[in-house]
Amino acid sequence: MSKDIRIRKGLNINLVGAAEQTTAKAVLSNVYAIHLEDFHGITPKMLVKQGAEVKAGEPLFYNKANEVMLFVSPVSGELVEIERGARRKILSLKILADKTQAIVEHGTFDAGKASSAEVKAHLLKTGCWPFIKQRPYDIIANPDANPKSIFISGYTTAPLAADSDYVLKGKEKELQAAITALGKLTPGKVHVSVGASSNSPLAGLNGIELHKVSGPHPAGLVGTQINKLDPINKGEVVWTVSPQDLVMIGELLLTGKFNAERIVALGGSSVKSPKYYTTKIGAEISTFLYSSGVNNDNFRVINGDVLTGAKSKPDGHLGYYNNTVTAIPEGDDYEMFGWALPVFNKVSTTRALTFSWLNPKKKYDLNTNTNGEHRAFVVTGQYEEVFPLDIFPMQLLKACMIKDLDEMEQLGLYEVAPEDFALTEFICISKQPHQKIIREGLDLLYKEIG
Amino acid sequence: MSDKRLTFKKRLHILKHHYRDKKMAPAFNAIHTFLFSPDDTTHSGAHVRGADDLKRTMNMVIMALIPVLLFSMFNAGYQYYAAIDAANNVPRELSVWGNFLTWDNFWIGIIKVLPLVVVSYGVGLLVEFIFAVIKGHEVEEGYLVTGMLVPLIVPIDTPLWMLAVAVIFGVVIGKEVFGGTGMNILNPALTIRAFLFFAYPTWMSGDKVWVYQAVERTGTADAISGETVLGALAQNNLAELNYSISDMFFGFIPGSVGETSTFLILLGGLFLIFSKIASWRIMLSAVIGSLVMGYIFNLVVDFGIISEASNFYGLMSFEYWKHLLVGGLAFGIVYMATDPVTGSQTNKGKWIYGFLIGFMSVMIRVFNPAYPEGVFLAILLMNVFAPTIDHYVVKANINKRLKRFKNATILPKDSDGKAEELKAETV
C-alpha cells in the first residue's frame, strides 16, 4: 500500500524568472567540461592522456577507491585539457567536441532477465553508476553495499528548478527500463514520489512503490521523503537517483548508447526569456544563456537551483547532475539602514518589519546579498518551522561544528544531506553556512566510521 | 542628493578596505554596518538568503521596549509627586491627561531615567567594543537589547557609578568570558541586576528606593513613601494598599523603572509574538506557571492552613492573577525569559522552562524574606537548568532513533553478514 506524504513545515520561495514550459535546442558547445567537484569524495585515476581522442561514452577515469567504477565522456572529441589545482589535484577535464559524434556501443541490455550482479556490472562498465547516489554521506553509491531501498523523487519544490513532470514527458519507456534495473539492486522497495496533482510519467511505472507528495519545499527533496517513509538507521544504506538521470540509465539499457543529452531549465530574474533547453552534460552555459538574453551585466550563474547549486560563470559548464541553471543578480551593494527599514522585496519567515507574510504568492527578485553578517547562533525555534525532518537541526549543526562523532550519529546525521539544510540556511538569522557545516560533518563521519 | 549619498557610501567603502585586517576593524565595521547593511554576497551553500539578520531581530525587541521606556519616564515623576502629595495628605485622583502626561513628570524621567539609559549603553558598548577589538571579532548586537533592559529593571535612584560597575561586571563575567553574544549561560541583563542586588542590597531593596528622592528625604520633615505593592504585601500592610486594579494594570504604581505597566508590556509581548521574534511558548507557559503557583497559595489560605498572623499571609492571600500585575513578573516573562540564548532551545523544552519560571517566580516572591520579588532569581535559576531540560528533550529524540535502530533488520553490508556484527557492537 502506498503511503502519501504531506508536509506542513517548510517554505516555498517564489522567485521571478521561472522557466517557461517550451524547449529550445541549445547551440552546440565546442568544449565540454567535467568538473571533478561534482563527484564528491572521488579520487580520479585517469585512463586517457591529454590530447587523446575519446568517443562519447568512453571511460575517462575511474574511482581510485573502486576501480570498476568508470566515469565516461559525454561527447566524442579530443581531451584538450586536464586542469589541475594544488598538489596536482584534478579539477576538471575539457573535451573539444568532434563535428560528427562517435559513440561507444554497449548493446541492449534486458535488465528483467539479468541478475543483480549483472545489472551492477553493466551500469559500472557503461558509466551510468555515478548517477546512483547513496545516503548516508551523500556520495556516489558504493556498489558493494546492499541498499534497503531506493528513492526517486519526481516532485519538484526547489525554487526555479526544472519541473520533473515537464522534462520527463514521453520518457515512460526509458524510465521503466531503469526502474526494472534498479529493482534488481535492492531487496527492498523502489520508492517513487510524484506531486499530489501531477501527471508525471513516473506514476504509471511497474515495480515501484508510488507516493503522492504535497506541501511546500522541501517536500520534493528526497531526504524529506526518506525521513517520512523509511528513515535510515546506522549501518543502513539508501540509494537515490534523480529522475532525469534515470532517463539516461534507461536509454543506455534500451539502446546501448550513453546519451548525455538532457533538458535543462534556465531561469532566474537575470534571464530575459527563461525557458528549457536541450543540451548535454558539460556543455558551456553560454551556449544557451545568451540565447535567452540577460538583463544586466552583474549577475551570478548558478549550476543548479538557488538553494543548492554551485557558483559558476557564463563560460562555465553544465554540471554532471544538474538540470537547472539559474542566473540572478549579484547583491554586492550596500543598503542604507538595511537592518532597520521595513522590507517589502525580500523573503522572510518572521514578521520583523518584513512583509513577505502578507502575500505568500508574490514572486521575488532576490539577489546574492547575505542581508546581514555572520554571527553565532542566537535565535532558536526558527529552523524547526521550515525543517520537516524528525531531527533537531540546530543541535545537529552544533554537533558537526564541534566534531562530536557520537552526537552527530545519535542526532541523525546519517539521514541527511547538505541540501536538506538549504532552507534553514536560507532563513538563518546568524547567516551560518549550514550546508558547509553538514558537508564537513558527513566527510568527517565517513572518514572516521564509514 | 543621490550623488552625495553615493560619495558617502563610497567613502565608507574605501575606509572599510583601509581598516581591513587592522586592529580597529571591528570598531569601524560596527559603525559602518549600522549605517549600511554590508555588501557581502553568499559564498557557499544557498545563493539567496532571507531578509532577517541579528540587527533586525534585536531591533524588534528594542522597539517593543520603547513604549515601556517612555511610560517609565512619566511614571518616575508621577510617583514622585504622588508620594509628596500622599505625605502631605493631599487627596489625589489619577488622571492621565491632568497629572500623568505632564512636563514636570517627564522632566524627572529625563534627569533620572535617561542618564541610566545613557550610562548603561555607553559603558556596555564600550566594553563590547574593547572586547571586539582585542579578540578580533565583530561587535555583536546582543548588548543593544541588554543595554535597554538594564535601566528598566533597576530602582530609580540607583547611582550611576553603581550601574556602570554592574554593567562592566555583567558584560565581562556574564557574557564576554564565555565568548560573546550567543555563548553566554546567564542572561546578561539579569546578571547585572543580580550583581547590584547582592553587592549593594541597601540600594536595591526596602520600601524607600522605588520613588525618586524617597531615600534622601528619609528622616526629614519631607519624608515620602516609596513602597511597592509587593513590599506592602510582604509586611502584611494590606490596609495601605490603595491601588486599584487598573492602576496596577496600566502601571501607575511604584516599582523598578520599567516594570510597572503590565498593559504596555502585554502590548510589547504581543508585538514580539506577532513578529515571531520571541517565543510564545515561553511566555504562555510562564503565565500559566505563575497562575498555578499563585492559585496554590490562595488555596493554602482558603483552607486555613496558615493564619493571618503568618509572615506570608499578605502575599499568599494576594489573588493569584494579580501577581502578573505587580512587580517585575510580566516584564521578566516577556523580555527576559524569552532570551533565546539563555533559555531552552527546543520547543518542548520551552514549555517546561517557561512554566518553571512562572512557578518559581511566584514561589520565591512569597517566601523570600529579604526581598519580595523573585522573577530575576527564577529566570537566572532556570537559565542554569535550560541546558538540562534541552538535554532530556533531545535525548528523547535520540532514544527514538536508537529504538528504531534496534528494531530494524539491517541488511548485511556485503554477503558475509558484517552488518549484524556492527549492530551487536553498537547496541
Side-chain angles (χ1 to χ4, degrees):
Chain A
M1 205 199 87
S2 81
K3 196 176 145 197
D4 292 347
I5 309 170
R6 172 172 287 190
I7 303 290
R8 277 189 303 127
K9 291 176 173 179
L11 173 69
N12 277 334
I13 303 166
N14 302 316
L15 297 182
V16 175
E20 195 193 324
Q21 297 207 338
T22 52
T23 309
K25 212 165 160 40
V27 183
L28 283 181
S29 183
N30 286 328
V31 176
Y32 290 77
I34 290 184
H35 292 282
L36 272 300
E37 67 172 13
D38 288 346
F39 313 111
H40 185 84
I42 298 283
T43 312
K45 279 280 172 194
M46 293 303 295
L47 287 165
V48 290
K49 291 218 162 65
Q50 190 165 337
E53 287 286 332
V54 290
K55 288 183 184 172
E58 191 178 322
L60 291 171
F61 59 92
Y62 65 88
N63 178 4
K64 189 183 170 194
N66 191 342
E67 49 194 66
V68 290
M69 195 190 293
L70 302 178
F71 296 77
V72 299
S73 170
V75 290
S76 79
E78 184 194 346
L79 178 63
V80 284
E81 192 189 343
I82 301 177
E83 192 194 349
R84 289 179 190 270
R87 295 166 72 195
R88 294 191 46 75
K89 183 184 171 196
I90 300 176
L91 299 178
S92 69
L93 308 174
K94 288 194 176 134
I95 297 146
L96 183 66
D98 292 336
K99 288 253 161 6
T100 48
Q101 290 284 305
I103 304 178
V104 179
E105 284 281 350
H106 292 288
T108 59
F109 184 87
D110 186 356
K113 290 178 189 142
S115 73
S116 164
E118 283 165 352
V119 171
K120 260 185 202 174
H122 191 70
L123 292 179
L124 284 163
K125 185 180 73 179
T126 54
C128 281
W129 191 265
F131 291 129
I132 305 174
K133 295 239 208 159
Q134 75 163 52
R135 295 202 185 193
Y137 311 124
D138 191 37
I139 49 176
I140 292 173
N142 172 12
D144 300 329
N146 198 357
K148 70 164 177 171
S149 51
I150 294 175
F151 277 81
I152 293 147
S153 170
Y155 181 44
T156 318
T157 50
L160 303 182
D163 180 19
S164 292
D165 292 358
Y166 179 71
V167 297
L168 297 179
K169 210 172 271 170
K171 302 284 187 189
E172 285 85 353
K173 265 199 330 226
E174 286 86 353
L175 289 169
Q176 185 61 62
I179 291 284
T180 311
L182 288 181
K184 296 273 176 177
L185 300 180
T186 173
K189 289 170 181 155
V190 179
H191 296 276
V192 174
S193 63
V194 295
S197 56
S198 84
N199 50 355
S200 171
L202 287 163
L205 302 180
N206 296 321
I208 59 163
E209 181 94 347
L210 187 72
H211 306 278
K212 291 203 183 273
V213 188
S214 55
H217 190 62
L221 289 185
V222 78
T224 309
Q225 298 164 8
I226 296 172
N227 188 270
K228 296 291 163 203
L229 294 169
D230 192 8
I232 303 167
N233 297 304
K234 185 182 177 178
E236 290 178 339
V237 178
V238 164
W239 287 354
T240 67
V241 187
S242 90
Q244 252 203 313
D245 297 340
L246 215 56
V247 173
M248 299 180 74
I249 297 174
E251 193 168 347
L252 179 111
L253 297 171
L254 292 176
T255 65
K257 288 176 190 162
F258 184 89
N259 183 358
E261 203 168 80
R262 60 175 48 174
I263 301 173
V264 175
L266 174 67
S269 59
S270 289
V271 180
K272 269 195 186 130
S273 58
K275 58 178 170 231
Y276 288 80
Y277 284 93
T278 348
T279 184
K280 280 184 179 171
I281 289 173
E284 200 169 298
I285 288 170
S286 61
T287 55
F288 49 91
L289 178 64
Y290 292 118
S291 321
S292 270
V294 288
N295 287 329
N296 50 36
D297 286 336
N298 190 19
F299 61 87
R300 177 183 295 189
V301 176
I302 300 161
N303 231 330
D305 66 70
V306 290
L307 288 179
T308 59
K311 195 173 171 179
S312 188
K313 298 182 293 262
D315 60 350
H317 296 262
L318 182 67
Y320 207 80
Y321 296 96
N322 297 131
N323 60 359
T324 303
V325 170
T326 320
I328 55 169
E330 283 284 5
D332 52 353
D333 197 8
Y334 299 94
E335 198 181 333
M336 198 171 205
F337 294 121
W339 56 277
L341 297 174
V343 173
F344 296 95
N345 57 356
K346 291 173 193 162
V347 179
S348 163
T349 52
T350 71
R351 300 180 187 132
L353 292 189
T354 53
F355 293 95
S356 61
W357 54 275
L358 278 176
N359 185 358
K361 293 252 183 284
K362 184 181 167 186
K363 291 188 171 174
Y364 291 86
D365 178 5
L366 298 184
N367 60 33
T368 62
N369 194 284
T370 52
N371 299 322
E373 291 174 292
H374 178 263
R375 290 288 183 263
F377 287 107
V378 170
V379 176
T380 60
Q382 303 216 302
Y383 305 150
E384 281 82 352
E385 285 186 24
V386 297
F387 193 77
L389 279 62
D390 184 18
I391 284 172
F392 283 103
M394 182 151 81
Q395 281 74 10
L396 181 57
L397 286 165
K398 285 183 175 172
C400 290
M401 289 168 94
I402 58 166
K403 302 190 186 345
D404 184 330
L405 290 172
D406 284 340
E407 245 183 51
M408 283 149 80
E409 208 175 272
Q410 290 169 345
L411 289 169
L413 191 63
Y414 289 124
E415 302 170 39
V416 298
E419 63 173 16
D420 296 323
F421 282 81
L423 258 188
T424 58
E425 182 174 66
F426 174 80
I427 65 155
C428 184
I429 281 169
S430 299
K431 312 293 174 188
Q432 292 272 357
H434 294 203
Q435 295 190 75
K436 190 167 157 242
I437 294 168
I438 293 293
R439 180 74 264 171
E440 284 166 5
L442 288 169
D443 288 348
L444 180 73
L445 199 63
Y446 185 57
K447 204 176 114 207
E448 302 288 335
I449 292 173
Chain B
M1 157 77 197
S2 76
D3 273 336
K4 205 173 166 192
R5 209 169 65 195
L6 203 80
T7 49
F8 183 51
K9 188 166 88 174
K10 271 255 164 71
R11 224 174 277 162
L12 283 173
H13 180 73
I14 294 162
L15 269 177
K16 177 173 146 183
H17 285 270
H18 171 74
Y19 277 111
R20 177 168 289 174
D21 300 327
K22 296 223 171 89
K23 262 245 162 295
M24 290 307 286
F28 172 78
N29 286 346
I31 297 162
H32 189 195
T33 56
F34 177 81
L35 292 170
F36 290 95
S37 58
D39 62 343
D40 301 345
T41 54
T42 50
H43 292 295
S44 77
H47 296 266
V48 291
R49 296 297 164 94
D52 307 84
D53 66 347
L54 199 55
K55 279 194 177 63
R56 177 170 292 275
T57 306
M58 294 299 182
N59 189 32
M60 288 299 114
V61 186
I62 295 171
M63 282 169 62
L65 280 165
I66 289 205
V68 175
L69 176 73
L70 290 177
F71 177 89
S72 71
M73 289 172 76
F74 282 101
N75 197 41
Y78 175 75
Q79 292 305 330
Y80 171 64
Y81 292 116
I84 290 175
D85 283 353
N88 298 330
N89 287 323
V90 179
R92 195 170 217 239
E93 277 290 307
L94 170 69
S95 108
V96 173
W97 299 110
N99 56 19
F100 183 74
L101 290 174
T102 66
W103 176 247
D104 283 347
N105 288 351
F106 194 61
W107 179 247
I108 304 274
I110 286 179
I111 61 166
K112 290 307 294 181
V113 179
L114 216 50
L116 292 175
V117 177
V118 171
V119 167
S120 161
Y121 268 127
V123 175
L125 286 176
L126 185 69
V127 177
E128 291 268 345
F129 270 68
I130 291 170
F131 264 86
V133 169
I134 292 173
K135 291 168 74 187
H137 65 62
E138 296 295 326
V139 178
E140 288 163 332
E141 290 80 4
Y143 195 77
L144 295 179
V145 170
T146 310
M148 184 67 125
L149 288 173
V150 167
L152 296 178
I153 55 174
V154 294
I156 181 104
D157 268 339
T158 308
L160 296 177
W161 67 267
M162 211 179 264
L163 188 72
V165 172
V167 164
I168 293 171
F169 174 86
V171 174
V172 174
I173 303 298
K175 189 160 81 169
E176 289 300 336
V177 294
F178 294 104
T181 302
M183 312 292 184
N184 46 305
I185 294 168
L186 300 176
N187 185 316
L190 290 175
T191 312
I192 291 166
R193 183 68 176 81
F195 177 84
L196 285 172
F197 179 72
F198 289 110
Y200 311 106
T202 50
W203 289 91
M204 294 297 133
S205 55
D207 56 6
K208 291 290 178 197
V209 300
W210 308 106
V211 171
Y212 171 49
Q213 281 195 345
V215 178
E216 282 172 44
R217 287 164 177 250
T218 307
T220 69
D222 296 332
I224 54 174
S225 163
E227 193 164 44
T228 61
V229 176
L230 286 171
L233 287 169
Q235 293 172 21
N236 286 352
N237 285 340
L238 301 184
E240 279 180 26
L241 271 184
N242 47 12
Y243 299 107
S244 68
I245 287 171
S246 81
D247 284 350
M248 294 193 244
F249 179 65
F250 289 104
F252 307 112
I253 49 174
S256 294
V257 172
E259 71 176 21
T260 58
S261 178
T262 307
F263 170 66
L264 290 175
I265 292 164
L266 182 70
L267 289 186
L270 290 176
F271 174 72
L272 289 177
I273 290 173
F274 175 77
S275 59
K276 298 198 191 177
I277 296 300
S279 165
W280 62 270
R281 291 180 178 87
I282 292 178
M283 291 192 209
L284 180 63
S285 58
V287 168
I288 295 170
S290 63
L291 293 178
V292 168
M293 188 73 250
Y295 193 66
I296 292 174
F297 283 137
N298 284 177
L299 288 179
V300 168
V301 172
D302 289 348
F303 286 117
I305 298 171
I306 62 161
S307 69
E308 271 182 53
S310 161
N311 283 338
F312 306 121
Y313 182 81
L315 281 164
M316 279 200 184
S317 61
F318 195 48
E319 273 168 280
Y320 64 98
W321 52 272
K322 285 189 187 164
H323 278 289
L324 286 163
L325 304 183
V326 298
L329 186 56
F331 190 88
I333 288 174
V334 169
Y335 297 108
M336 313 279 225
T338 53
D339 174 11
V341 175
T342 54
S344 246
Q345 305 190 338
T346 55
N347 285 343
K348 265 185 207 152
K350 280 174 183 165
W351 284 106
I352 302 167
Y353 169 82
F355 181 86
L356 288 175
I357 282 179
F359 195 82
M360 299 285 224
S361 295
V362 176
M363 187 193 288
I364 298 173
R365 174 180 279 187
V366 170
F367 287 135
N368 190 345
Y371 181 59
E373 181 54 297
V375 64
F376 81 90
L377 292 170
I379 295 174
L380 284 172
L381 182 71
M382 291 316 295
N383 281 171
V384 174
F385 281 112
T388 315
I389 297 171
D390 281 337
H391 173 81
Y392 285 103
V393 174
V394 173
K395 192 84 188 155
N397 181 273
I398 291 174
N399 287 340
K400 196 158 93 184
R401 192 165 286 110
L402 265 179
K403 201 173 152 199
R404 199 178 74 201
F405 170 64
K406 280 180 193 165
N407 294 336
T409 46
I410 293 182
L411 299 162
K413 212 169 192 168
D414 311 315
S415 40
D416 55 3
K418 260 188 212 154
E420 284 305 320
E421 285 167 33
L422 171 123
K423 194 178 167 186
E425 274 168 34
T426 322
V427 174

